[in-house]
Amino acid sequence: MNFGISLAQRIYAIIGLSFCGLTGLAAIQASNLADALRGQRQSELRHLTQLALGIAQEEHDAAVGRGADGDAARRNAAARIGALRFGNGDYFWINDLSPTMVMHPIKPELDGKDLRDVRDPTGKQLFVEFAEIVKRRGEGFVDYQWPKPGLDTPQPKLSFVVGFQPWNWVIGTGLYVDDLQAQVWERVRSIITIAAAIVLCVGLVTLLLARRISKALVTMTGALNRLRVVIST
C-alpha cells in the first residue's frame, strides 16, 4: 500500500496550515483588542466614579464642619450626583448596603425600593452584588444586562461601584459594552478577509510554480527513461 503524499497534497496542506495560522493570529489579536477596549472602559468608569465620590465627600465634610444636618447633606449630594451626565446620557445612581435605592435619576420610581429582587435576564441579583462587592472590597466592577434605550432587549453593561462609608452608600455608574463586541468582530472579519486574500494569492503562485516544476520533472524523467532505453540497446 502506498502511503506517499503527492506534491499537490503537500501544497494544499501548506496552504491550509498557513490559513489556520493566520486565523489563529486573528483570534489572538481579537482577544488582545477586547482586553484593551474593556480596560479602557474600566479606567473611564473608575475615574468618573471618583468624581461622584468627591461630591459626597465634599457635602459630608461641609456638614460636619458646620455641624449641620446630615440628612440635608445627603439630599444635596444625591441631587448633585443625580444631575451628572457623561457620554451618551450616562448617569450615576446611589443605593445603600441593604440594598435599597437612594437615588436613580432615570428610574425615580425605584427610589426607596428594596432592590434584592431586582435581577437581570440571567438571574443575577445585580444590586445585591453591588452591595457585596463594596462590603468585601470597597469597590469593584460588575457585568450584567440592563435595558438600553431604543432596543427591545437588555444589553450587556459594565458598572463600577464604590462605597462611601460615612453614609453606607454604594455609588455607581456603568457603560453598555455591546459595541465592544461589534468592534472586535469587525476587526476579526477584516483580519480574516486579509488573511484569506494573502493565502489565496500565495496558493495560486505556489500552484503555478508547482505545475512548472512538475512539468520539468516529467520532462526530465522522460528523457532519462529514453536514455536508459538507448543504453540498454
Side-chain angles (χ1 to χ4, degrees), residues 115-129:
L115 303 171
R116 283 174 291 185
D117 292 331
V118 176
R119 303 172 186 263
D120 74 353
T122 68
K124 177 179 288 188
Q125 295 173 283
L126 52 146
F127 288 99
V128 171
E129 190 160 341

Side-chain angles (χ1 to χ4, degrees), residues 153-223:
T153 58
Q155 298 298 310
K157 194 170 187 178
L158 173 67
S159 282
F160 179 72
V161 292
V162 62
F164 184 61
Q165 193 274 333
W167 294 339
N168 288 325
W169 275 7
V170 177
I171 303 173
T173 189
L175 291 169
Y176 290 99
V177 293
D178 51 324
D179 63 315
L180 299 187
Q181 295 178 342
Q183 292 182 52
V184 170
W185 280 115
E186 182 63 29
R187 179 66 62 87
V188 169
R189 283 193 293 269
S190 298
I191 294 174
I192 291 178
T193 300
I194 294 172
I198 293 173
V199 170
L200 180 61
C201 292
V202 171
L204 289 174
V205 171
T206 304
L207 286 173
L208 290 174
L209 291 175
R211 287 182 179 180
R212 291 185 179 181
I213 294 172
S214 179
K215 288 180 180 180
L217 289 174
V218 169
T219 301
M220 185 177 65
T221 301

